């Protein structure tokens, strides 16, 4: 769908913000780009809709070079959501959302239907919100409108540059959840920039970890969590991640012979139990048996979990 071939971007200072990047984003994919500040995420994103011109290489969308598209055609068919809420303050919510459909000369009726449907879809009751001005909405509500505006003209691709990072944690979680649900309904190709690993793991079908304008690792959330390619990725996961999210019970289960009769008298946990549940049980019991689909597959002990936690905290410094 979107292909980068040896793409580089140098700004005037002659440093490469993006360095010979090769990348293929698939149709319908939720693709997350993550990395520390200054690693080239925004540059990468803005090259897709030609807000920034690449210095070298080629970007193709559906096989066609982006430079061969009419610039309006390209921009109008790519939704774009920014970190800063960028609604026009003097226009109503409805007018803000209608901008691109109007440029594309949709009929008034068609635009109104679309705006109302979309507002309702993200939980903003159209009757109540469409005639308000942005200032009459909370930050979270405004950012919802930002998302709706990017979707308005039904683009195949949506670019999102840290869209939720200015929000309070609660609105942020809610918008992430809504975006996931929305993505399952509309099946668009979403390229989403984040600097938060938790967010990336939650949203991404695949995650591209960047550093200094280059790709360090590209894979599914599971691949990255289980096999970080180097210390940089490991640290990135560790520094921003919460141990309870990365906890892997398999790594501390001690196998045991099924004939051991005493296993039946032990208190049980499930392989799917969270770290919190397991810790609570270990307060009262030295040793627990681990159950998977009715079968005991091993034991975990207080000692093994303390070792696990100690190792993790050492690795986190
Ligand atoms: N307009 C610009 N002129 C010169 N350097 C820039 C410009 N925009 C970004 N940069 C530099 O390019 C690098 C990548 O920036 P950016 O893509 O914004 O990173 P990120 O979004 O990952 O924080 C940084 O070193 C930044 O200082
Ligand atoms: Mg940026």
């Amino acid at each position: 769908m979107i292909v980068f071939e040896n793409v580089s971007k140098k700004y005037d200072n002659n440093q490469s913000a993006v360095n010979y990047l090769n990348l293929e984003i698939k149709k319908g994919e939720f693709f997350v780009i993550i990395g520390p500040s200054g690693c080239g995420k925004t540059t990468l994103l803005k090259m897709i809709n030609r807000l920034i011109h690449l210095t070298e290489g080629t970007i193709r969308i559906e096989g066609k070079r982006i430079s061969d598209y009419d610039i309006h055609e390209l921009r109008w068919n790519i939704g774009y959501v920014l970190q800063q809420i960028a609604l026009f303050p003097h226009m109503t919510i409805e007018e803000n959302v209608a901008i691109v459909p109007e440029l594309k000369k949709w009929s008034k009726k068609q635009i109104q239907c679309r705006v109302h449907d979309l507002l309702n879809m993200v939980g903003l009751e159209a009757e109540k919100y469409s005639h308000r001005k942005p200032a009459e909405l909370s930050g979270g509500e405004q950012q919802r409108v930002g998302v709706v505006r990017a979707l308005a003209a039904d683009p195949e691709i949506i670019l999102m540059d840290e869209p939720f990072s200015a929000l309070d944690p609660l609105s942020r979680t809610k918008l992430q959840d809504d975006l996931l649900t929305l993505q399952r309904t509309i099946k668009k190709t979403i390229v989403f920039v984040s600097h938060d690993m938790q967010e990336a793991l939650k949203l991404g079908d695949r995650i591209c970890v960047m550093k200094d304008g280059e790709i360090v690792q590209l894979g599914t959330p599971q691949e990255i969590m289980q096999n970080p390619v180097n210390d940089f990725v490991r640290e990135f996961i560790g520094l921003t991640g919460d141990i309870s999210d990365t906890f892997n019970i398999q790594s501390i289960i001690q196998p045991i012979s099924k004939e051991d009769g005493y296993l039946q008298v032990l208190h049980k946990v499930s392989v799917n139990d969270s770290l919190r549940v397991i810790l609570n049980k270990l307060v009262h019991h030295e040793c627990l048996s681990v159950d998977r689909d009715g079968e005991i597959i091993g034991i975990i002990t207080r000692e093994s979990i303390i070792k696990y936690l100690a190792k993790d905290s050492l690795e986190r410094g």
Side-chain angles (χ1 to χ4, degrees), residues 11-13 15-18 35-44 52 161-162 193:
Y11 291 105
D12 299 335
N13 57 13
Q15 271 194 350
S16 283
V18 167
S37 180
C39 73
K41 305 181 294 295
T42 296
T43 303
L44 191 164
I52 290 177
D161 197 349
E162 307 197 20
V193 166

Side-chain angles (χ1 to χ4, degrees), residues 44-290:
L44 191 164
L45 202 69
K46 284 185 171 176
M47 285 192 290
I48 297 175
N49 63 359
R50 283 170 54 191
L51 282 174
I52 290 177
H53 291 278
L54 49 80
T55 317
E56 258 188 89
T58 312
I59 301 176
R60 295 175 197 275
I61 296 179
E62 307 258 37
K64 182 168 158 183
R65 287 163 178 261
I66 54 167
S67 51
D68 291 343
Y69 282 89
D70 171 74
I71 185 82
H72 299 298
E73 186 196 353
L74 188 77
R75 296 260 172 87
W76 297 348
N77 290 312
I78 300 180
Y80 186 43
V81 188
L82 293 157
Q83 173 181 356
Q84 309 81 4
I85 299 161
L87 302 175
F88 293 107
H90 59 287
M91 290 160 72
T92 66
I93 298 308
E94 181 165 341
E95 287 163 348
N96 264 286
V97 176
I99 294 172
V100 178
E102 268 170 12
L103 289 169
K104 288 177 103 173
K105 308 229 181 303
W106 289 18
S107 74
K108 275 218 148 33
K109 181 115 194 114
Q110 201 184 359
I111 293 175
Q112 203 190 21
C113 281
R114 177 78 182 154
V115 173
H116 281 222
D117 283 353
L118 283 172
L119 285 174
N120 288 329
M121 199 151 94
V122 298
L124 298 173
E125 217 180 305
E127 278 74 38
K128 194 165 146 196
Y129 285 92
S130 54
H131 298 294
R132 289 198 192 172
K133 296 278 171 64
E136 299 167 74
L137 272 62
S138 73
E141 289 170 339
Q142 289 185 43
Q143 202 57 313
R144 268 164 213 274
V145 176
V147 173
V148 161
R149 184 173 60 179
L151 296 172
D154 207 19
E156 278 308 307
I157 298 169
I158 299 152
L159 310 178
M160 306 182 93
D161 197 349
E162 307 197 20
F164 307 144
S165 58
L167 301 176
D168 63 275
L170 212 68
S171 318
R172 187 175 182 175
T173 307
K174 181 84 176 59
L175 269 171
Q176 289 169 346
D177 293 342
D178 289 352
L179 183 62
L180 272 181
T181 315
L182 197 66
Q183 164 66 352
R184 288 189 193 116
T185 332
I186 59 176
K187 299 261 185 332
K188 304 287 182 182
T189 306
I190 298 183
V191 190
F192 187 106
V193 166
S194 177
H195 63 255
D196 174 358
M197 197 49 143
Q198 288 312 311
E199 182 170 76
L201 292 170
K202 175 173 174 178
L203 299 176
D205 291 320
R206 283 193 303 158
I207 299 172
C208 173
V209 185
M210 282 181 73
K211 181 176 183 260
D212 301 334
E214 295 180 357
I215 296 175
V216 185
Q217 186 167 11
L218 176 57
T220 63
Q222 206 175 2
E223 283 162 2
I224 289 178
M225 289 309 293
Q226 286 175 352
N227 295 306
V229 289
N230 60 20
D231 285 346
F232 173 78
V233 177
R234 215 165 286 130
E235 195 180 343
F236 209 74
I237 297 167
L239 278 177
T240 53
D242 177 344
I243 178 167
S244 57
D245 295 319
T246 61
F247 174 64
N248 176 8
I249 194 172
Q250 302 288 353
S251 66
I252 57 164
I253 293 181
Q254 296 160 29
I256 206 132
S257 150
K258 290 218 182 68
E259 281 73 55
D260 286 341
Y262 78 93
L263 285 179
Q264 306 307 327
V265 302
L266 289 178
H267 284 264
K268 242 193 270 182
V269 288
S270 152
V271 275
N272 301 316
D273 279 343
S274 67
L275 179 59
R276 184 196 299 264
V277 167
I278 293 169
L279 285 173
N280 274 327
K281 288 202 176 157
L282 282 172
V283 171
H284 304 289
H285 310 284
E286 177 80 46
C287 182
L288 301 167
S289 63
V290 182

